[in-house]
Structure formats: structure tokens, C-alpha cells
């Protein structure tokens, strides 16, 4: 039943809490920028699966719907909404997720620049769910805090260092990310997400830890992402993820 991906609260995932994929601006004369992604999630122990995701965004809002189906036929339909805005010098990113099976979740992340030149920003966030099962596709703990820093290394490169930590369920789950993003020209960009995971699937379960990496390459309207993700949802299964997407 979506083992290693569909899990209760401590393994649920809220998409992009650290705003690692900024909203895409619609083309002139259009209200929304669209992005479709097809992903294959291959596991060496638990069932593998496919995910189809469709997103629409403008400068401030993103709405999305997704369907995950594993090789046994188990599936879950998900939908969400994200909005960003400013309160004085602080940028806020809020999200709401719903899924079949009764899941409800949300998060709020604040970003504040620490210097007048806007070279370094502090990230602080909080996520909460109703602890119902949810397809987990970014594999960070959901009922958790987020703390991190974002820095602009130059005009084309930025780095984000942050940790997501369970603060509700007593699992000790924590995931530290170091993400580098670079735009090479107007049509081409890439990113590297190196992450370290440790914790338990549930209180009293065995302690697991592992290091993974995700690579993303984007050119014109197409992008591809490949990732190695060990101990998915703090279990025994390792995962290789391959996603291909189109902007339109």
C-alpha cells in the first residue's frame, strides 16, 4: 500500500517549504504559467510508482494537482495551493494541501534579509497536518520546524542551507539540505540538493540515517530531475527518482 511513500504524519511532505523552485512568470498576455511533470520512483524494497503533477502559477500564487500510483495499484490524489506575499521587510510563503483519504496539511515560512544589500536571508518555518496518510514526494518530516539561511553568491548563483526537524511526534526525524542553484543563461539553469537524513519511522523504531542527492537541469521549456534517496520515510527501502517536465 504505497509502502515507503504513503505514510502517516511524520513522513508526510509539504512541497517546497524553503521556496527552492520560485514561481514562474506567465508569458506576456497570459494569466498563468503551466508546468507538467511525470516522475518514476523506483524502490529496491517497497513498491515503485509513478507520479503525475500539473501546476499553474503567477508571480504570487501556485495551484497544483497530482496523482501517485504504485505498482500494486494503490493510489492517492493530491491538490494544493501556495501563496507568497510581504509583511514589511519579511516575505511569507504559505501553503495548503488536501488529499484523498482525508489528509489536510499546511505550512508557513518566513524569509527576512539580514543585510541591506539582500545577500543573506534567514528562513523560519512551521508545518502541521491532521496526521492522515499522505503520499510523500519530498521526504522531509511534515509536522516540523524549518530553520535555515539563503545567500546570493553572485548575480547568477544562490545557496540555501536549512534543516527540517520533527517537533511534534517524537521521532527525532531531521533532514539537513544544502542546495546550490545557478542560472547559466536566459534558457539554462541547474541545481544540486545534497541532503542528510536521520531519525526513526516512529518512536521506538530503529534509528536510520543516510545521505542523498538530487540534480535538476532545465533548458528552455524542458527540465529533468534525478535523485538518489536512501532510507525513504526512514525505512529499509532506497529510492531512485527520475522526473521529466514541460513548461507551457
Amino acid at each position: 500500500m504505497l509502502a515507503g511513500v504513503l505514510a502517516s504524519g511524520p513522513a508526510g511532505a509539504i512541497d517546497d517549504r524553503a521556496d527552492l523552485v520560485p514561481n514562474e512568470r506567465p508569458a506576456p498576455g497570459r494569466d498563468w504559467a503551466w508546468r507538467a511533470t511525470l516522475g518514476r520512483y523506483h524502490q529496491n524494497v517497497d513498491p515503485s510508482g509513478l507520479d503525475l503533477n500539473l501546476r499553474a502559477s503567477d508571480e504570487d500564487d501556485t495551484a497544483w494537482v497530482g496523482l501517485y500510483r504504485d505498482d500494486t495499484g494503490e493510489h492517492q490524489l493530491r491538490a494544493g495551493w501556495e501563496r507568497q506575499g510581504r509583511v514589511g521587510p519579511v516575505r511569507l510563503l504559505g501553503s495548503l494541501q488536501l488529499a484523498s483519504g482525508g489528509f489536510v496539511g499546511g505550512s508557513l515560512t518566513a524569509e527576512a534579509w539580514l543585510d541591506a544589500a539582500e545577500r543573506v536571508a534567514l528562513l523560519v518555518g512551521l508545518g502541521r497536518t491532521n496526521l492522515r496518510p499522505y503520499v510523500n514526494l519530498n521526504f522531509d518530516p511534515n509536522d516540523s520546524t524549518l530553520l535555515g539561511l539563503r545567500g546570493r553568491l553572485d548575480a547568477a548563483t544562490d545557496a540555501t542551507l536549512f534543516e527540517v526537524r520533527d517537533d511534534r511526534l517524537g521521532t527525532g526525524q531531521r533532514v539537513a539540505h544544502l542546495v546550490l542553484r545557478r542560472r547559466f543563461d536566459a534558457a539554462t539553469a541547474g541545481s544540486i540538493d545534497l541532503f542528510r537524513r536521520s531519525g526513526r519511522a516512529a518512536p521506538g523504531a530503529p534509528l536510520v540515517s543516510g545521505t542523498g542527492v538530487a540534480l535538476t537541469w532545465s533548458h528552455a521549456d524542458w527540465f529533468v530531475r534525478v535523485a538518489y534517496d536512501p532510507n525513504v520515510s526512514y525505512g529499509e527501502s532506497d529510492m531512485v527518482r527520475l522526473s521529466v517536465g514541460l513548461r507551457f
Side-chain angles (χ1 to χ4, degrees):
M1 50 175 295
L2 304 185
V5 177
L6 182 59
S8 58
I14 293 175
D15 288 358
D16 203 19
R17 287 171 57 184
D19 195 26
L20 299 177
V21 185
N23 283 14
E24 297 172 32
R25 296 185 177 183
R30 302 188 63 178
D31 294 329
W32 297 92
W34 294 85
R35 187 174 78 205
T37 307
L38 177 64
R40 175 65 176 173
Y41 294 72
H42 176 76
Q43 300 192 75
N44 62 350
V45 176
D46 296 317
S48 301
L50 288 172
D51 185 72
L52 180 63
N53 186 284
L54 180 66
R55 302 172 69 91
S57 64
D58 61 15
E59 292 189 8
D60 297 321
D61 295 273
T62 296
W64 59 268
V65 62
L67 175 65
Y68 184 87
R69 183 184 186 278
D70 74 16
D71 292 345
T72 72
E74 294 286 338
H75 61 277
Q76 187 176 50
L77 181 66
R78 316 175 319 280
W81 171 77
E82 300 167 5
R83 181 171 178 82
Q84 56 182 314
R86 301 193 73 90
V87 177
V90 179
R91 189 169 71 102
L92 298 176
L93 178 67
S95 71
L96 173 68
Q97 296 80 34
L98 305 172
S100 57
F103 174 87
V104 180
S107 70
L108 181 65
T109 301
E111 178 186 75
W113 293 104
L114 301 179
D115 61 327
E118 296 190 346
R119 301 276 305 189
V120 179
L122 175 68
L123 299 174
V124 179
L126 179 69
R128 282 295 182 265
T129 78
N130 63 352
L131 302 181
R132 299 297 297 272
Y134 183 58
V135 168
N136 173 349
L137 297 181
N138 72 14
F139 307 103
D140 291 344
N142 202 14
D143 290 270
S144 59
T145 59
L146 180 150
L147 182 63
L149 293 171
R150 187 192 318 280
R152 290 177 175 165
L153 304 184
D154 57 41
T157 309
D158 63 68
T160 306
L161 176 65
F162 67 99
E163 182 179 75
V164 181
R165 181 182 298 194
D166 167 34
D167 70 333
R168 182 182 182 189
L169 299 170
T171 64
Q173 291 182 10
R174 53 199 298 179
V175 186
H177 293 261
L178 174 60
V179 182
L180 298 175
R181 298 185 302 177
R182 180 170 180 82
R183 178 160 290 282
F184 297 95
D185 56 43
T188 308
S191 70
I192 301 175
D193 179 0
L194 182 66
F195 55 91
R196 176 71 178 175
R197 169 185 293 119
S198 64
R200 295 174 168 82
L207 178 67
V208 300
S209 62
T211 300
V213 64
L215 307 174
T216 303
W217 185 261
S218 172
H219 181 74
D221 294 330
W222 292 91
F223 61 91
V224 61
R225 181 178 299 114
V226 61
Y228 169 68
D229 202 337
N231 301 108
V232 173
S233 295
Y234 300 87
E236 297 180 354
S237 192
D238 298 333
M239 176 181 284
V240 174
R241 298 180 261 154
L242 176 62
S243 301
V244 178
L246 172 67
R247 303 179 184 93
F248 58 97

